[in-house]
Structures are given as C-alpha cells and as structure tokens.
Amino acid sequence: MTNMQNDDETTRLIDHAARGDQEAWGQLLARHRDRLRRMVALRLDRRLQGRVDASDVIQEASLEAVRRLPEYLENPTMPFFLWLRFLTGQRLLEQHRIHLGAQARDAGREIALYHGALPETTSAALAAHLLGHLTSPSAAAIRAERRIRMQEVLNTLDPIDREVLALRHYEQLSNAEVAAVLGLDKSAASKRYARALVRLKEILAALPDGLGEV
C-alpha cells in the first residue's frame, strides 16, 4: 500500500505513545474512535447486532495496536488511522468467525460490496445507513420501503464504486485514504466517487417520495 504521511499532531502523539505515554495513546485513539465505530457499524454482520459490541471490538484492536506499535514504526506503510482501521477490521473478522463460522451471507437477498481485507458490507447495510434512522411507526414503514429501493439502486453500481460510496459517504474516509485502501490512485478514486454519486442521484431522482436526496 502507498506510503502516506501522518499529520504533525498524529506523529507527535505516536512518538510519545511509543515512549510509554498512556495519555498520548488515549488521545490517539480518541482522534479516530468515531470513524472506527462507523466502520464496525457498517461491516458488522446483521446477525450479530446486539451480540457484538463495537466498543469491545475497538478495545481489542487498541490493545493489539499497543503491542504492535514498534512493528508499525519500523515499517509505516500506511497512515496510523488506516493501520488502526485494519487491526479493528481483523478483530471484527475474528468475531464473525467465532459466532458464524463458515456461514455465508444469503447471496439471493443481498449483494456483497467489494471484498477487501476487512469484513465486507452489503448493499442492504449501506442503504440502511445512507437513509439514516426514522423511528416512528409510519416513518419506519416509509424507511423500509426506501431502503429496499436504495438497495436495488446500489446493486446496479459497480462493486468498487459501491465500496467507494461506503468509504467516503459513511466511513468518512478522505479521497487519499480511499485510494490507499482500495489500491487506486487518487484521481481514479475521485472519479469513481463522483461517478457513483451522479449515477445514484440520477436513479433516485426518478423515484417517488423524494429519494433523490443523498
């Protein structure tokens, strides 16, 4: 993966954490916890909701990161956040294996997004997160219908384009981070994101009930 530099504050905190500064380590995790939680929420298998807690997954990854920080510093081939994200994804994969074993997703109901080093998400999961959370009974019924429509739209997109949407729109990765995660150059990642957004809005604009807002 392309070598990318950490920002000055992250570099400073890493240097202090490497010397045993627990406060610096806590600040490092605090800077990235929200995006890590979003990643876990999106990629946690729906059958494990309520059984696996995102905070526990992130905590396990954090403990591993403490142990492996010297290894990272010897060969920092990716920014610290992407390394921490990778470790968190590996812990999430472990939870999937523990609880689900070799069980596969129902491919007839959900189409998996681009399959990389982390647990895959699905068009159904991405659709649900893109639409947000409506809680009243009437709103929930509308949301369910819209989620199905959104899922159908996402299924028409190229798998990598859907993953770019997931990374940029929900996980809130920068274009440079998306390019690094997917092994694309920055220009290609940017073009894929723009193309996916245009395609998504074009299709949704033709649907009733104001689904064109993304």
Side-chain angles (χ1 to χ4, degrees):
M1 188 176 292
T2 305
N3 188 15
M4 298 164 57
Q5 301 240 337
N6 294 302
D7 61 62
D8 290 343
E9 179 63 8
T10 296
T11 299
R12 184 187 71 80
L13 290 172
I14 290 173
D15 288 343
H16 282 271
R19 294 195 293 268
D21 186 334
Q22 294 301 310
E23 182 178 349
W25 186 254
Q27 291 180 43
L28 268 176
L29 296 181
R31 287 166 64 90
H32 303 302
R33 186 174 287 110
D34 285 347
R35 289 204 294 171
L36 293 176
R37 290 187 68 88
R38 296 179 75 86
M39 184 273 284
V40 173
L42 183 64
R43 299 175 189 278
L44 177 66
D45 191 288
R46 58 190 174 86
R47 292 167 290 185
L48 298 183
Q49 292 175 1
R51 297 167 61 188
V52 173
D53 186 85
S55 295
D56 292 338
V57 174
I58 294 170
Q59 178 65 20
E60 290 178 8
S62 300
L63 292 174
E64 182 178 4
V66 170
R67 294 193 299 269
R68 296 179 59 180
L69 184 59
E71 173 187 330
Y72 170 77
L73 292 175
E74 284 183 8
N75 186 29
T77 58
M78 64 183 80
F80 179 80
F81 166 69
L82 292 186
W83 178 67
L84 191 57
R85 178 180 178 273
F86 170 76
L87 295 180
T88 304
Q90 293 299 295
R91 298 286 67 75
L92 184 57
L93 273 175
E94 185 178 80
Q95 290 299 312
H96 283 180
R97 287 193 293 266
I98 290 172
H99 292 282
L100 300 175
Q103 295 178 43
R105 293 183 183 273
D106 184 349
R109 296 178 56 192
E110 300 181 12
I111 296 179
L113 301 185
Y114 180 78
H115 186 58
L118 301 187
E120 60 191 4
T121 186
T122 64
S123 54
L126 180 56
H129 286 295
L130 286 174
L131 288 173
H133 301 282
L134 305 177
T135 55
S136 71
S138 59
I142 294 172
R143 181 175 179 271
E145 180 181 357
R146 291 181 175 182
R147 180 177 58 79
I148 292 172
R149 293 177 182 176
M150 176 76 83
Q151 182 180 344
E152 291 171 348
V153 171
L154 291 169
N155 287 343
T156 69
L157 300 179
D158 181 272
I160 299 182
D161 288 351
R162 291 199 304 268
E163 182 72 2
V164 169
L165 274 178
L167 294 171
R168 289 289 303 273
H169 214 73
Y170 187 74
E171 289 196 41
Q172 299 181 347
L173 269 64
S174 68
N175 184 66
E177 289 170 334
V178 171
V181 167
L182 297 180
L184 304 171
D185 62 50
K186 294 179 184 179
S187 176
S190 180
K191 288 177 181 177
R192 279 187 174 274
Y193 180 55
R195 181 176 65 194
L197 275 183
V198 169
R199 177 63 175 156
L200 194 60
K201 290 182 177 181
E202 285 177 349
I203 298 174
L204 294 178
L207 297 175
D209 301 325
L211 271 175
E213 294 299 322
V214 179

